[in-house]
Amino acid sequence: MKSAKASIQIIIAIMLLVGLMPLGNTLNNIKEDAGLADRFIQRPALGFDNIAADILWIKTIQYMAGIKKADVKSSNITYEMFERITDLDPLFTGAYTLGGLAIAHKTPAKSLILFDKAIAHNLNIGWRIPMFAGVVSMHNMKDYDKSAKYFALASEVKDSPFFLKRMQALAKARSGDLGTALILWERLYNSSDSASVQIAKRELVRVAAEILKTSTNNKLRNKADRIIKEIL
Amino acid sequence: MLAVKTERLTKIYKTDGKEIKAIQDLNLEVTPNQIYGFLGPNGAGKTTTINVLLGLTAPTTGTAWILEKQIGDIEIKQKIGFLPQSPYFYESFSSVELLNFYGKIFKIPRKERYKKIEELLDMVGLTDSRKIPLRKFSRGMLQRIGIAQTLINDPDLVFFDEPIAGLDPVGRKEVMDTILNIKKQGRTVFFCSHVLHDVEMLCDSIGVLDKGQLIVSGKLKDLLKPKESLEEYFLKSIEKKGGEKA
Amino acid sequence: MNIILTIAQGVYQRIIKSRILYVIVVFCLFAIAYSTLYSAVTAGEETKLMKDIGLAGIAVAAMLISIMVGSTAIPAEIESRTIQTLISKPVKKHEFILGQFLGSVYVSLLSIAIMSVGFIIILAIKTHALNLIMLKPLILICFEAIVLVAVSVLFSTICSSMVSSILAIVVYIAGHLSYQIPFLVERAGNVVTKFIGLFLYYALPNLQYFNVKAPAAHGICIPWGLVFGVILYGAIYTAVMLLVSLVIFKNKDFA
């Protein structure tokens, strides 16, 4: 009698434990959807990952304050430190921003790694980090294609400023993709943003002139020609 | 009606592969409204018997009845009280808190409970130290609050395991008076001890346990010859038993 | 129910008089207050830092208190033999266990509540805003504490308080790492290793579910679905622990 009762209790316990399996999966899915998946935490610290990140953050700030002359070596060290901080706390956007900007001058490729990590691990990253990534790839890397992609990403964020679209068009033009640049500038020319319209007018003329000078694509040349005539 | 009855009660402990027979085929009958002294040398199995009777440990074989109910029946516990050997209570509690705690376990209504607590504190003479935490109590005081605790539910039967051991003469006197008082209230007292002098003064009947077996049982006045002390009788019976075995 | 609550109340009355509890709570509040002084070295992230320190401090204190209280309640009764007196009264063993559990939970939650109120107040003074977003991680810290009490109670039905608190701390650590087991199992070639890995994954509580401190400190919205799901998870796991404790305790002698 007593042992029968005990076995029933054990069976119920096991069933409940089995019932936790699907619940666990559901919870994992909810976390994944909310961008809070645990797998992002690369250096687990028993749930105190963010405190560990904070301590490292303070240390990094102190290290950076002590750098006398910025060079590739110090830049690499700084990168490593921010890499660790963001391993511990993948949602720490402040760390991605400061880290990425601090090392952009000496090691721009690593700066982009940090920005990419920020974008990958945060659902609502905002427009600033993609913009910084765009600026770094444009000025420090001279990779205009990549830069245009970052600006495009930044400009898609809700309530992002209008100039990001201009930056995207500018990057496209510099990358040599004049066709796309023309389309982007034309869109801005037809937009409601007065500042953009003015700039777009100037840039449209410039890009169209460039096309007429260099391009052999007849369709594109015709389009450029039409636009110049329209504007002037 | 019997207050306590056991039938071939046996408890075997297994330690390190060895079997230790703490009690063996114990047949005990205790009639109500008396003080029953349960005697025996240290390690005879007195405490084990009480533990089995109270359901703190299960018997290996045999069974027992308390107040006509088989052990294991939770209803028995409504009608009994128990003072363990060298009792220890929650030491941060005061006497009132402790009695109140146990009173609530018995679901005694609040008003009645506090009335009862006052009565009991008065009975064991602890009214003045009601607010003092138990860790500051002397052994005698602890024993007295322990006795008060056994009576919170107006039990028909109370078990005392070595209630007088380790007390100074004044403490012994107080505890013994209290036990006599409990009997006067019409309760049965099941009293475990190896201090024979006290048993002789208090008990109506006795049972002597040795090596887990009951060797003597009966009314004290029938067992003792005139002018024979219980101590003499006790030693005699244990020696006799030893001689039989040899 | 009445008896369970009485026993729980007894547990509370006993523990609340112990000094170590106050030391932990006061120390935690002090650490939170102290974190406000850090702003000079945090490069504009002082609010995040304060939230991190506050939540982590409360989580550590909650872990320490719940394990300490949960793993001492029953052994204290057994070692001091007060359990004999209690069991000789009309107390069933499940009432005893549940009473000890509820009392320990009550003490843990009470201390978490005190620390949380202190934290929210300090944070409000610093940020001039009532950071109610902090409630979600704090609620989940409470439920993690409940799970830890249940785990400690289970261990304490088998071992001494010292051993069970050590085991409970091991479960705490493993519970916060167990989310990594599936990734390790994927890589394991051996079938036995895989089996052991999966067994541990499902037998250990995944305490990482209860950890939403980081997103809350970053002001990221934590869905209520997650909060309620985790509460359900905690409740089921606690029930399992208590059931097993009951089975073990039923066959125990107190002589």
Side-chain angles (χ1 to χ4, degrees), chain C residues 206-222:
Chain C
N206 186 339
L207 295 178
Q208 201 60 19
Y209 288 146
F210 297 86
N211 177 19
V212 290
K213 297 196 285 289
H218 288 297
I220 291 170
C221 179
I222 300 149

Side-chain angles (χ1 to χ4, degrees), chain B residues 8 12 32 34-35 37 53 58 76 79 82 100 103 113 119 153 155 179 181 184 186 208 216 237 240:
Chain B
R8 298 182 67 85
I12 299 170
Q34 60 155 338
I35 301 180
L53 290 175
I76 297 172
K79 291 182 189 156
F82 171 50
N100 190 33
R113 196 166 68 223
E119 275 173 34
N153 56 323
I179 292 174
N181 204 357
K184 269 187 213 151
V208 180
V216 176
S237 26
K240 198 172 136 201

Side-chain angles (χ1 to χ4, degrees), chain C residues 30-72:
Chain C
F30 181 77
I32 297 169
Y34 188 75
S35 72
T36 56
L37 303 176
Y38 262 114
S39 51
V41 287
T42 53
E45 295 283 347
E46 64 258 34
T47 324
K48 171 203 177 322
L49 216 80
M50 246 193 91
K51 290 173 182 170
D52 280 346
I53 292 176
L55 288 175
I58 293 173
V60 174
M63 182 265 283
L64 289 177
I65 291 172
S66 54
I67 289 180
M68 187 185 81
V69 171
S71 56
T72 48

Side-chain angles (χ1 to χ4, degrees), chain B residues 89-94 97 133-135, chain C residues 13-15 17:
Chain B
F89 300 107
Y90 310 115
E91 53 174 25
S92 58
F93 279 24
S94 67
E97 280 173 329
L134 298 185
R135 84 172 78 86
Chain C
Q13 275 179 305
R14 285 200 309 279
I15 302 174
K17 288 173 185 166

Side-chain angles (χ1 to χ4, degrees), chain B residues 61-111:
Chain B
T61 56
T63 186
W65 290 264
I66 290 177
L67 305 167
E68 308 278 277
K69 287 205 169 76
Q70 196 163 12
I71 50 165
D73 188 342
I74 195 108
E75 266 183 57
I76 297 172
K77 296 184 175 180
Q78 291 286 358
K79 291 182 189 156
I80 59 171
F82 171 50
L83 175 70
Q85 197 175 351
S86 48
Y88 179 103
F89 300 107
Y90 310 115
E91 53 174 25
S92 58
F93 279 24
S94 67
S95 332
V96 176
E97 280 173 329
L98 185 81
L99 294 179
N100 190 33
F101 175 71
Y102 288 130
K104 278 202 239 167
I105 295 278
F106 283 105
K107 299 178 184 167
I108 303 169
R110 193 185 157 83
K111 220 176 155 185

Side-chain angles (χ1 to χ4, degrees), chain C residues 103-125:
Chain C
S104 308
V105 164
Y106 182 63
V107 172
S108 306
L109 295 190
L110 190 68
S111 14
I112 297 174
I114 292 168
M115 292 183 285
S116 302
V117 170
F119 171 52
I120 299 270
I121 289 173
I122 295 170
L123 201 58
I125 293 169

Side-chain angles (χ1 to χ4, degrees), chain B residues 128-140:
Chain B
D128 292 339
S129 38
R130 53 194 296 143
K131 290 263 159 75
I132 300 171
L134 298 185
R135 84 172 78 86
K136 292 189 178 154
F137 269 29
S138 69
R139 273 201 75 136

